[in-house]
Amino acid sequence: MIQELLPKFQIGDAKALARAISLVENEVDGYEELLQSLPGNLNKPVIGITGPPGAGKSTLVDSLLGSLLGDRIRMSKWYDHPNVFIRSLATRGSLGGLHPKIIEITELMKAAAFDHVIVETVGVGQSEVEIAGLADITVVVVVPEAGDEVQTMKAGLMEIADIFVVNKSDRPDADLFVKNLRLMLAPAYHNRYDEVPVIKTVASQNNGVSELLKEIDHLLKHHHSKEKKYWLLAERAFQLIQRKKMSDIDKEKLKEEIKELSNKNSFQLYSFVKKYM
């Protein structure tokens, strides 16, 4: 039975987790009950990795895994690592570039026996903005040659980036690109709580990745207020409700209700959403 999967993947059963994800992807009868049975207030961080194609996002994720686990092996080997679970998801025609069930799948991952959840997008169009509503920390990865591309995406990137990574920074003009990127970011600082860090990496050589991980940990511990958490939850709840043809729901009201329930330690995402359906 579907309900038997939860206690299994909570203690590290990768096959049970894989099956649960497949059931949610395909909307098999009982999948909503599984989601509603997930524990609430799961505080495991979700790290979003986004940016244009060719920026080296997958290589960066590979290096991040090595830094988290203290184990340098290639991505192809992570599939057999007992402390890593990797799932590739098709966009299934989504305009953004994220799987239409990415919120639900992320919640399953948070309920499993892992400390971090990393979501890498294909980096096309709306996905850069979508990931901001899903991730606690959004890392935007660019390369030194991406000056025009960054300028084109400037408005959206300014709003959603918690950290900029300039990957392949051993290439010519990398320092100049970093300088120009920081100048480009400067006007946006008055709308933010802090400057957006810009970190240089050469992910293929594992250079700069430990500094990136330290910055992610720092932001998770010090700069992400409860107010932002409530907005993230409100964004996820709104998307789920909107998917059920209830687009007249007010997100400000959602946030206040979530805030009140969270303060009482009684917020559970799918039970909350169910009452609006």
Side-chain angles (χ1 to χ4, degrees):
M1 291 179 61
I2 291 179
Q3 295 300 323
E4 295 174 354
L5 295 175
L6 177 57
K8 291 181 179 178
F9 68 71
Q10 281 183 308
I11 60 172
D13 187 330
K15 289 183 179 179
L17 177 58
R19 187 175 174 217
I21 292 173
S22 295
L23 294 174
V24 169
E25 279 189 284
N26 297 304
E27 298 186 347
V28 173
D29 287 345
Y31 88 94
E32 290 183 318
E33 287 77 8
L34 170 62
L35 293 172
Q36 290 162 18
S37 69
L38 296 176
N41 293 317
L42 291 168
N43 292 319
K44 295 178 184 177
V46 177
I47 303 164
I49 309 289
T50 190
K57 298 184 294 292
S58 294
T59 305
L60 186 67
V61 171
D62 185 8
S63 295
L64 272 175
L65 289 174
S67 293
L68 285 166
L69 295 170
D71 191 356
R72 287 298 303 151
I73 55 178
R74 295 190 63 80
M75 176 69 89
S76 59
K77 300 296 185 182
W78 293 126
Y79 287 91
D80 299 322
H81 198 290
N83 295 324
V84 177
F85 180 91
I86 296 174
R87 181 72 171 233
S88 296
L89 301 170
T91 61
R92 296 195 173 187
S94 170
L95 292 177
L98 291 172
H99 190 283
K101 287 284 194 297
I102 189 63
I103 295 174
E104 294 92 328
I105 293 169
T106 300
E107 292 295 315
L108 288 175
M109 296 294 296
K110 287 167 66 176
F114 302 108
D115 297 320
H116 298 80
V117 178
I118 300 175
V119 179
E120 177 196 339
T121 77
V122 295
V124 290
Q126 187 66 18
S127 65
E128 283 87 359
V129 178
E130 286 182 355
I131 194 67
L134 178 74
D136 299 293
I137 294 288
T138 300
V139 178
V140 176
V141 187
V142 292
V143 289
E145 297 84 358
D148 293 339
E149 199 163 25
V150 170
Q151 187 67 38
T152 301
M153 296 188 294
K154 179 179 176 181
L157 290 176
M158 297 305 125
E159 294 176 6
I160 65 105
D162 293 301
I163 301 172
F164 267 101
V165 167
V166 178
N167 193 32
K168 306 179 183 180
S169 60
D170 54 344
R171 291 183 176 179
D173 297 327
D175 289 339
L176 178 61
F177 176 78
V178 169
K179 179 181 178 181
N180 290 336
L181 179 58
R182 286 182 171 139
L183 289 172
M184 191 186 303
L185 288 167
Y189 290 154
H190 69 278
N191 293 324
R192 300 182 61 101
Y193 52 82
D194 203 353
E195 292 187 6
V196 180
V198 178
I199 297 176
K200 295 195 299 181
T201 65
V202 183
S204 61
Q205 300 175 26
N206 204 36
N207 292 338
V209 177
S210 60
E211 289 79 359
L212 171 60
L213 186 57
K214 287 178 184 177
E215 192 62 53
I216 290 171
D217 288 339
H218 177 75
L219 289 178
L220 286 170
K221 290 176 182 176
H222 300 289
H223 290 295
H224 275 58
S225 66
K226 286 187 176 181
E227 200 69 18
K228 175 169 181 179
K229 176 184 175 183
Y230 299 142
W231 271 117
L232 283 170
L233 291 170
E235 183 67 32
R236 294 167 201 170
F238 182 82
Q239 289 187 36
L240 292 170
I241 295 166
Q242 190 176 46
R243 196 183 297 158
K244 295 292 185 180
K245 310 299 184 183
M246 296 181 70
S247 57
D248 57 335
I249 299 297
D250 179 46
K251 278 197 276 187
E252 178 68 31
K253 180 182 176 183
L254 284 180
K255 190 203 75 169
E256 292 303 320
E257 289 186 28
I258 288 171
K259 185 175 181 178
E260 182 178 349
L261 290 171
S262 295
N263 287 336
K264 297 177 181 177
N265 203 33
S266 59
F267 177 81
Q268 206 280 347
L269 182 61
Y270 290 94
S271 297
F272 180 80
V273 168
K274 186 179 180 181
K275 70 180 183 180
Y276 284 92
M277 295 180 180

